[in-house]
């Protein structure tokens, strides 16, 4: 799984180099597709069933778009934020990660949204080494985002990952009595999960756009998304989608 995760990291490095005003979201998608093609990896997002099958290798969501945006002709503008989510299967194993990038200079409160969302993911990874149950981690994530005066999206959750991208268990990024009762799990060695907080500046509520895929905030305020594939080991959490030297960005 580390090999798949490292390839996902490399794909995201290609994206990070290209994010600037004027680039289209399709160009970012094409860069990721090339990385996967050259390594003989299978892109996991293309063809995901829905009202229409998902048409691209990445989900690219701009500004008030939360997740599941479709890459296309849209040109990024100075002050935008762009969330890029992608995953691949390499030698039978999957990796999945997402980052939100600022495009040029963004407003200070938008920059803070990016920092809080990245930090809540890093907090969750760290706590996976000290807590016994996922619900204990989720409760801390919930508190962290509330203290920052932002909201956590509750319509979407992280997931187990292995030979396929979406496996049990479901991995909520928020405190939920329902999940705690029905879906809580022990953080034991061998577990691999994709942790992916989505954080909004305004309401946590989302709506789907007319393309049947893109999820956007109901109030039009900005949203950020960071994700890593993380293994629990006897030595602690191991980020499978980190860089060669364990870089998380
Ligand atoms: Mg995921």
């Amino acid at each position: 799984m580390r090999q798949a995760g490292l390839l996902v990291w490399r794909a995201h490095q290609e994206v990070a180099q290209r994010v600037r005003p004027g680039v289209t979201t399709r160009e970012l998608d094409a860069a990721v597709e090339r990385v996967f093609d050259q390594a003989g990896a299978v892109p996991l997002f293309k063809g995901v069933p829905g009202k229409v099958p998902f048409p691209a290798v990445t989900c690219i969501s701009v500004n008030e778009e939360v997740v599941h945006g479709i890459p296309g002709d849209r040109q990024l503008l100075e002050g935008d934020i762009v969330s890029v989510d992608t995953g691949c299967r390499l030698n039978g194993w999957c990796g999945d990660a997402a980052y939100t990038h600022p495009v040029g200079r963004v407003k200070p409160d938008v920059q803070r949204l990016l920092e809080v969302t990245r930090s809540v993911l890093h907090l969750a990874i760290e706590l996976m080494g000290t807590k016994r149950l996922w619900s204990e981690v989720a409760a801390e994530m919930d508190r962290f985002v509330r203290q920052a005066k932002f909201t956590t999206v509750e319509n979407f959750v992280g997931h187990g990952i292995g030979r396929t991208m979406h496996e049990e268990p479901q991995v909520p990024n928020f405190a939920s009595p329902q999940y705690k009762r029905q879906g809580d799990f022990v953080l034991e060695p061998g577990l691999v999960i994709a942790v992916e907080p989505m954080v909004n500046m305004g309401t946590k509520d989302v709506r789907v756009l007319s393309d049947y895929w893109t999820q956007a905030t109901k109030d039009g305020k900005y949203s950020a998304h960071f994700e890593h594939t993380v293994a629990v080991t006897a030595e602690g959490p191991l980020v499978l989608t980190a860089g060669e030297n364990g870089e998380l960005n």
Side-chain angles (χ1 to χ4, degrees):
M1 290 192 77
R2 174 64 177 134
Q3 294 309 310
L6 190 55
L7 192 64
V8 169
W9 182 81
R10 290 198 181 116
H12 277 294
Q13 297 302 113
E14 294 293 321
V15 170
Q17 285 173 21
R18 286 171 173 77
V19 170
R20 71 176 75 88
V23 76
T24 65
T25 54
R26 181 177 283 116
E27 289 174 75
L28 302 180
D29 185 72
V32 171
E33 188 159 31
R34 270 195 302 277
V35 171
F36 292 164
D37 272 356
Q38 284 168 5
V42 180
L44 293 172
F45 290 19
K46 207 171 209 173
V48 166
K51 261 197 173 167
V52 294
F54 194 78
V57 170
T58 57
C59 291
I60 302 190
S61 311
V62 181
N63 296 342
E64 78 283 4
E65 297 171 359
V66 180
V67 287
H68 303 169
I70 300 174
D73 296 328
R74 181 174 186 165
Q75 285 190 335
L76 298 178
L77 302 173
E78 178 94 19
D80 282 348
I81 57 172
V82 59
S83 302
V84 179
D85 189 357
T86 196
C88 74
R89 184 186 292 115
L90 183 64
N91 301 323
W93 296 97
C94 298
D96 186 7
Y99 295 85
T100 302
H101 303 277
V103 182
R105 278 177 69 87
V106 301
K107 289 180 184 163
D109 56 340
V110 174
Q111 187 62 42
R112 193 171 70 86
L113 174 74
L114 302 188
E115 277 156 22
V116 165
T117 313
R118 190 202 324 266
S119 297
V120 77
L121 172 59
H122 295 180
L123 172 70
I125 293 166
E126 187 187 316
L127 292 175
M128 284 173 70
T130 59
K131 303 289 190 189
R132 194 179 81 86
L133 293 168
W134 176 259
S135 60
E136 299 174 273
V137 177
E140 294 295 330
M141 294 173 80
D142 194 298
R143 189 168 319 154
F144 185 88
V145 171
R146 275 173 209 278
Q147 274 172 358
K149 305 282 186 235
F150 294 139
T151 62
T152 301
V153 173
E154 298 187 359
N155 290 59
F156 303 98
V157 296
H159 47 93
I161 178 168
R163 291 212 178 259
T164 58
M165 177 169 58
H166 290 136
E167 299 184 354
E168 290 299 311
Q170 292 195 310
V171 184
N173 306 293
F174 48 91
S176 163
Q178 192 210 326
Y179 276 108
K180 198 170 166 177
R181 252 193 335 271
Q182 298 173 2
D184 207 359
F185 55 91
V186 176
L187 296 161
E188 55 196 351
L191 178 79
V192 185
I193 53 178
V195 183
E196 50 177 318
M198 289 143 259
V199 176
N200 295 352
M201 293 182 83
T203 179
K204 67 178 165 56
D205 295 332
V206 301
R207 66 191 183 94
V208 67
L209 303 189
S210 59
D211 62 14
Y212 302 117
W213 278 104
T214 311
Q215 301 286 335
T217 59
K218 271 195 176 160
D219 60 7
K221 294 186 179 172
Y222 285 15
S223 179
H225 178 213
F226 284 83
E227 175 180 24
H228 272 303
T229 297
V230 188
V232 179
T233 78
E235 288 78 43
L238 182 64
V239 181
L240 299 176
T241 43
E244 281 92 349
N245 301 307
E247 308 94 305
L248 296 185
N249 298 303

